[in-house]
Amino acid sequence: MLLGSMVRNDGNISTPDGQAILGAASNAVYLAASTDPSLRGLYMEVQDGQNTGTVINGATGQITAERGNITLAGLVVNQRGKLSATTSVSANGSIYLIAGNNLTGTASLNTNPLDPDGKPTAFGGMLPDNGGQLVLGAGSVTQVTPDTGSDGTITGTQLASFIGSQVELAARNITLEGNAAILAPGGSVNAYASSNPRALVNTPTKMDADTDGTIYLDSASVIDVSGLENVAARATDNIIAVTLETNDLQDDPLLRDGFLHGSTVYVDVTRSPTLFDITPTRTTSRATSARS
């Protein structure tokens, strides 16, 4: 955690399985413990009475948080280098870029903020009520990628509770300069542009008359949440054991009392056998490999 009236990184910061926080303010920094499983760390909000709070990740700056969170917060946030988190099957990565300050002098924490679709969103509702300037500089990279250091898998049932990668932006004016890239394969990117980001996140379906936020994407800038192609997976991930009972052999009367009845066979769930029916087993037992 680096805090000051101005914070700049031109080197390397690494917080594996943790959180890297850069916060700039002249008056106060508010911290709150996260109650959201998607963020294992702290929420942060700044109060900057002198309007000087600036956070800069320079062109040579690299901040890495494998399976963790990176948070940059200040009235002005310039991300000109590389921010990189990773997501595994058991721990997601996230990046929060928050430009703005707190004018009321008290922090506001909404423990269950929702997006316009009624789904949980990030920040914990702890956001500034005065939006600032967020710039992702030319050629910068802000990414949450799969964790290649793990070979863990999850089943189709577990996939419903899987927490994906998150990149969250909040400011009055959000700018992606030429060739700036936000990458989150299979994840989510949300941008909240408002003179009052706190109100926008707390009441996402209401657009106030004084809301004048802007989002600008320059030529060749990229926001990419598409999935990955050609991901290596074990062929054995598709092999399951099936004990053949009468129902599995119901389409072949000659085999109901034959040598296959009661036997355990191994089948590829991507291919349907011609001798028996494995549809019920495929539905309940097929493993979904998520090679982090």
Side-chain angles (χ1 to χ4, degrees):
M1 185 182 296
L2 303 177
L3 306 175
S5 58
M6 197 277 272
V7 178
R8 180 179 182 117
N9 172 53
D10 290 302
N12 296 330
I13 298 173
S14 178
T15 58
D17 295 300
Q19 184 178 29
I21 293 179
L22 278 63
S26 60
N27 283 2
V29 173
Y30 301 97
L31 300 173
S34 169
T35 58
D36 185 345
S38 68
L39 175 66
R40 298 162 303 283
L42 300 172
Y43 299 125
M44 181 174 65
E45 185 177 320
V46 300
Q47 183 184 358
D48 188 62
Q50 299 178 21
N51 295 333
T52 59
T54 300
V55 174
I56 300 173
N57 186 49
T60 61
Q62 297 191 40
I63 304 177
T64 305
E66 296 97 339
R67 302 165 301 279
N69 170 264
I70 300 170
T71 296
L72 274 55
L75 181 61
V76 176
V77 174
N78 285 325
Q79 169 8 31
R80 300 192 174 277
K82 184 175 183 179
L83 304 179
S84 183
T86 63
T87 291
S88 72
V89 297
S90 58
N92 72 304
S94 60
I95 297 175
Y96 296 171
L97 304 181
I98 309 168
N101 64 5
N102 183 340
L103 294 180
T104 62
T106 58
S108 172
L109 179 63
N110 177 358
T111 58
N112 187 34
L114 303 176
D115 67 12
D117 294 326
K119 298 179 180 179
T121 189
F123 301 121
M126 194 172 186
L127 282 175
D129 55 13
N130 178 44
Q133 308 295 319
L134 170 59
V135 176
L136 282 69
S140 65
V141 176
T142 303
Q143 64 180 7
V144 184
T145 56
D147 181 12
T148 58
S150 170
D151 61 355
T153 61
I154 57 177
T155 65
T157 301
Q158 295 169 328
L159 190 61
S161 59
F162 172 71
I163 301 174
S165 305
Q166 299 175 337
V167 178
E168 305 283 336
L169 316 175
R172 181 173 184 172
N173 300 308
I174 300 173
T175 300
L176 274 69
E177 295 181 346
N179 294 305
I182 299 177
L183 309 173
S188 64
V189 175
N190 293 311
Y192 300 90
S194 173
S195 56
N196 188 338
R198 180 190 301 174
L200 181 59
V201 170
N202 287 344
T203 56
T205 59
K206 179 182 178 182
M207 186 63 69
D208 293 327
D210 60 348
T211 297
D212 56 354
T214 63
I215 300 175
Y216 175 70
L217 278 66
D218 202 351
S219 175
S221 60
V222 174
I223 298 177
D224 188 350
V225 294
S226 61
L228 300 175
E229 295 182 339
N230 301 318
V231 177
R234 293 183 296 261
T236 54
D237 289 344
N238 291 322
I239 305 300
I240 60 173
V242 179
T243 299
L244 298 177
E245 304 296 345
T246 301
N247 287 341
D248 303 315
L249 301 168
Q250 61 184 341
D251 294 333
D252 198 329
L254 296 178
L255 294 177
R256 290 179 187 174
D257 298 320
F259 71 97
L260 284 178
H261 186 263
S263 299
T264 298
V265 297
Y266 295 87
V267 297
D268 184 343
V269 294
T270 64
R271 302 179 180 181
S272 297
T274 58
L275 293 178
F276 44 85
D277 181 20
I278 63 166
T279 301
T281 305
R282 179 193 290 119
T283 301
T284 57
S285 302
R286 182 176 181 177
T288 300
S289 175
R291 193 165 306 284
S292 57

